[in-house]
Amino acid sequence: MNDWPEGPSDDNRGTRYGSGSASARPEGPRVMRQVRRGRPAPPQSPGIPQQPSYVDGRGHGDFTDAQGTGYDSGYNTGQVYGTPGGGGPDGGGGGGFGGGRGPRPAPNWRRRIKVTSITVATVLVVTTVGTYFWADGKLQREVDLSKVIDRPDEGEGTNYLIVGSDSREGMSAEEKKELHTGSADGKRTDSMMILHTGSNGDTLISLPRDSDVEIPTFVGSESGKTYEGTGRHVKLNAAYAEDGPELLVRTVEFNTGLRIDHYVEIGFAGFANIVDAVGGVEMDIPQDIKDTKSGADFKKGKQTLNGEEALAFVRTRYALAGSDLDRTKNQQKFLAALANQVATPGTLLNPFKLYPTMGAGLDSLIVDKDMGLYDLASMFFAMKGVNSGDGKSMNMPISGSTGGNLVWDETKVKQLVEQLKNDEKVTVSGD
């Protein structure tokens, strides 16, 4: 039984479009066999394998799964790959390329911002903690203030004794020559200051190295032996030369009545390295200065000093009319300028400048055993604010001199110490 409709016979081809026809006309569309769904497949002759049927919807290219259940490939429905009906890339069906895919979901920005914020916060915490332990490990806590005897009562605020020593430790012969430090053995104090921090403004008081002081009874820092005071008077820097930081603290406390809470010391090389690490410090020098002993050679006006020049500037006294008193004023100005330079965003926010600066400073500092990074930071920012409207810098009040030693004004010193102890605004003036 033939399911196909009758087509034109060969006998009728001569009158239609065909081979050799002079009156060529387009051939009519060929009639395609009809797909009849739902009808059973025609019987097969014996020995001929079962063929796929177009009637039951399973034509050529159909597949059968492991359970023998077939599925339609789609050819018998007229669907074409790439069309909306065939489930192409733009269609929603399961056939064709991209079948089963919907539109890409919009980015979840809230989640991305949350993940990014957590990541950044974690990095900052890890970096901060790591920096803290790195910096804390560099502090040289060598001064033991517990060895200082007969100490004054504690007052309000915090008092730091800041010492610049002429230590040449670790310096090569070339560096000593370059920095004009000489080659003296041991170390002496080249500058001494008391920095008071409190709620009524910060005060920086320079103690001239030639100040006349009495050496009191003290316990040797190394020997542990008690040395009775004999009332002898010496220059202040001699106390440091005799028994180091502990005796210097004992002498300052005895002669002022002010308790020292923390001790900080820096040597020649460390000072120069800090200045170089921040890229130099700008200073407005009020006069021409030339001093062969310190190596200073400056013209009046604003200029940026490198480490070598800065060390020469703060050590110069022979070229100044007021000698040591004028030198202490220059030291105060320079330290305030250095603190301002370090505290700029260009240094604090630039790890390539911040870490070298911290490294240069921490490597060269000697502090007391109770000094922490917080105390050091407080001291640093107080130095920065000394020359602000709330801060004050001054020399210890001087009344005269004797035998080359500068004598303190006892009345003014007593009033100054009382104001510092009570954390009051300092009204006393010094030279």
Side-chain angles (χ1 to χ4, degrees):
M1 180 176 181
N2 188 359
D3 290 335
W4 295 89
E6 292 295 333
S9 66
D10 292 340
D11 295 337
N12 296 329
R13 289 180 182 177
T15 61
R16 295 182 180 274
Y17 176 76
S19 174
S21 172
S23 58
R25 290 186 303 170
E27 183 181 358
R30 296 179 181 177
V31 180
M32 298 298 292
R33 54 186 175 181
Q34 300 296 318
V35 178
R36 301 178 181 177
R37 299 184 182 276
R39 292 183 58 185
Q44 301 292 324
S45 301
I48 299 177
Q50 178 73 27
Q51 299 297 313
S53 171
Y54 287 94
V55 177
D56 60 1
R58 295 182 177 86
H60 295 297
D62 296 336
F63 300 87
T64 303
D65 59 19
Q67 286 73 30
T69 303
Y71 66 94
D72 191 349
S73 66
Y75 283 104
N76 60 343
T77 65
Q79 295 176 351
V80 181
Y81 288 121
T83 66
D90 296 329
F97 297 107
R101 289 185 181 179
R104 175 177 291 183
N108 189 338
W109 289 109
R110 179 176 296 180
R111 182 176 182 275
R112 290 186 179 185
I113 292 173
K114 181 179 179 180
V115 171
T116 301
S117 300
I118 293 174
T119 301
V120 171
T122 301
V123 171
L124 288 176
V125 170
V126 171
T127 302
T128 302
V129 172
T131 300
Y132 174 86
F133 284 105
W134 168 77
D136 189 72
K138 281 183 169 292
L139 281 179
Q140 303 178 62
R141 297 182 173 93
E142 299 178 3
V143 180
D144 189 356
L145 295 183
S146 67
K147 295 180 179 179
V148 180
I149 62 173
D150 300 333
R151 309 195 68 188
D153 295 333
E154 292 184 2
E156 301 293 327
T158 303
N159 299 311
Y160 299 84
L161 181 60
I162 304 172
V163 174
S165 76
D166 63 359
S167 172
R168 299 156 178 84
E169 184 177 353
M171 296 175 63
S172 65
E174 183 179 350
E175 289 173 328
K176 292 176 183 177
K177 181 179 179 181
E178 184 177 296
L179 297 177
H180 300 273
T181 64
S183 300
D185 293 331
K187 59 181 180 180
R188 285 152 293 278
T189 52
D190 211 51
S191 62
M192 290 158 285
M193 303 178 187
I194 294 175
L195 174 65
H196 173 83
T197 63
S199 57
N200 283 290
D202 304 314
T203 304
L204 182 63
I205 307 161
S206 288
L207 308 176
R209 57 181 289 178
D210 293 339
S211 297
D212 185 82
V213 295
E214 179 183 340
I215 298 294
T217 299
F218 69 97
V219 175
S221 58
E222 297 294 335
S223 66
K225 180 180 176 181
T226 299
Y227 297 88
E228 296 291 339
T230 60
R232 61 189 174 100
H233 281 241
V234 298
K235 293 181 178 182
L236 182 57
N237 66 339
Y240 182 96
E242 186 172 332
D243 198 54
E246 287 84 0
L247 179 55
L248 178 61
V249 171
R250 169 72 175 127
T251 303
V252 169
E253 290 186 343
F254 178 81
N255 285 269
T256 63
L258 184 68
R259 186 184 181 97
I260 300 299
D261 300 297
H262 291 295
Y263 177 91
V264 181
E265 177 186 327
I266 186 170
F268 282 163
F271 180 83
N273 288 339
I274 293 174
V275 175
D276 285 334
V278 298
V281 176
E282 184 179 77
M283 287 292 299
D284 188 0
I285 299 179
Q287 65 183 69
D288 293 349
I289 299 176
K290 188 173 182 64
D291 184 355
T292 56
K293 291 191 175 182
S294 68
D297 188 3
F298 305 110
K299 296 296 183 182
K300 178 182 177 179
K302 287 186 177 182
Q303 50 204 285
T304 299
L305 307 184
N306 62 24
E308 176 186 347
E309 295 166 337
L311 185 59
F313 177 72
V314 299
R315 294 183 61 220
T316 296
R317 63 171 176 162
Y318 294 105
L320 304 175
S323 187
D324 201 33
L325 293 178
D326 282 350
R327 176 171 71 165
T328 56
K329 294 176 182 178
N330 285 341
Q331 291 170 347
Q332 292 172 351
K333 291 178 182 177
F334 185 85
L335 289 177
L338 175 60
N340 275 288
Q341 176 70 21
V342 174
T344 59
T347 299
L348 295 178
L349 301 180
N350 184 353
F352 297 103
K353 290 188 69 175
L354 176 62
Y355 283 95
T357 301
M358 291 179 61
L362 295 172
D363 281 340
S364 56
L365 290 180
I366 296 175
V367 300
D368 64 271
K369 293 184 180 297
D370 295 327
M371 173 73 86
L373 289 178
Y374 176 81
D375 301 308
L376 194 62
S378 298
M379 183 198 79
F380 171 79
F381 283 104
M383 292 287 297
K384 178 179 180 294
V386 160
N387 288 341
S388 67
D390 294 331
K392 183 181 180 69
S393 60
M394 58 182 288
N395 279 324
M396 185 65 82
I398 303 295
S399 62
S401 64
T402 176
N405 295 355
L406 297 175
V407 179
W408 294 349
D409 186 321
E410 292 185 5
T411 302
K412 287 187 175 182
V413 170
K414 183 178 180 180
Q415 182 182 357
L416 172 63
V417 170
E418 286 300 316
Q419 290 177 343
L420 294 177
K421 277 186 174 182
N422 298 323
D423 194 24
E424 300 172 352
K425 191 173 182 63
V426 173
T427 59
V428 179
S429 61
D431 296 324

